[in-house]
Amino acid sequence: MIRVVAVITANPGRRDEILAAFRANVPAVRAEKGCIEYEARVDATGIGPFQAKFGPDIFAVIETWESPEALAAHIAAPHMAAYGKKTRDLIANRAVHVLSAID
């Protein structure tokens, strides 16, 4: 199993636009073979001073895939290319962390 944490930084004030495109793409991604989890998350509120916040222009995408091959197919999927084109000018930075379990 592969976990992905992608931290997306929107251009100032554009996060909601990216999230709208993300939400529209979610059904296609969740229908992909090997997709276990795919969702966007923003800072929780009311947690306390120990929380390190991303801020108003950042969100995280949390993904779980059955295998590296499923993740590779996801990356190459036509709907992901279309999503990339829609959001390219809205994104300031993207950091994708691909994680495997430690035994």
Side-chain angles (χ1 to χ4, degrees):
M1 191 178 327
I2 296 294
R3 297 273 172 107
V4 177
V5 177
V7 180
I8 312 299
T9 303
N11 287 321
R14 308 295 298 270
R15 184 175 78 178
D16 287 346
E17 291 175 73
I18 300 171
L19 286 172
F22 179 89
R23 286 184 193 100
N25 199 38
V26 164
V29 174
R30 289 188 179 158
E32 291 178 44
K33 183 179 182 193
C35 179
I36 298 169
E37 175 184 29
Y38 189 79
E39 61 188 11
R41 296 290 177 146
V42 296
D43 291 319
T45 59
I47 301 302
F50 67 90
Q51 179 185 6
K53 291 190 175 189
F54 283 127
D57 293 318
I58 300 175
F59 67 98
V61 178
I62 310 299
E63 308 174 35
T64 305
W65 297 91
E66 286 181 359
S67 66
E69 295 80 15
L71 175 59
H74 163 68
I75 293 166
H79 55 267
M80 291 308 295
Y83 171 77
K85 284 182 182 180
K86 285 180 188 174
T87 60
R88 180 176 302 136
D89 294 335
L90 304 174
I91 295 174
N93 190 41
R94 181 179 68 184
V96 179
H97 305 272
V98 180
L99 310 168
S100 59
I102 55 173
D103 298 322

